[in-house]
Amino acid sequence: MSSLDDDYADRLADLLEDMEGDGVDAVQMMMSWMYGFVQGRLEGHEGQAYKYQFEDADMIIQLQEPEETTAARLH
């Protein structure tokens, strides 16, 4: 990462810490934002997944309707 990337990462970490200190669920906030981001990227490509490649790992995100989730299948 560049120093600019590092600066943004530090600012984001500070913001998330402030959110938690103020009683805001930072994970819920990030995941809600990520959901909207991925939903926009997959618009028109239903059933596909969004893949992000890190240096040493891949992150694959697939949006599913609630009735298709593991929790729904188990109940």
Side-chain angles (χ1 to χ4, degrees):
M1 288 186 1
S2 71
S3 66
L4 184 58
D5 291 337
D6 290 338
D7 289 343
Y8 274 103
D10 289 342
R11 290 171 54 193
L12 179 58
D14 289 343
L15 178 61
L16 295 172
E17 188 175 301
D18 289 347
M19 290 168 64
E20 289 290 336
D22 291 338
V24 175
D25 185 346
V27 173
Q28 174 67 32
M29 185 72 67
M30 286 189 314
M31 296 308 287
S32 293
W33 183 88
M34 182 63 72
Y35 174 82
F37 174 81
V38 170
Q39 191 176 37
R41 290 288 178 125
L42 295 178
E43 192 170 314
H45 303 281
E46 286 73 20
Q48 294 188 8
Y50 179 78
K51 179 179 178 181
Y52 184 84
Q53 293 181 301
F54 295 95
E55 288 181 18
D56 59 348
D58 293 339
M59 178 186 292
I60 299 170
I61 303 171
Q62 184 175 22
L63 304 178
Q64 297 180 340
E65 295 297 320
E67 62 272 4
E68 295 177 316
T69 63
T70 302
R73 288 193 305 263
L74 294 176
H75 290 104

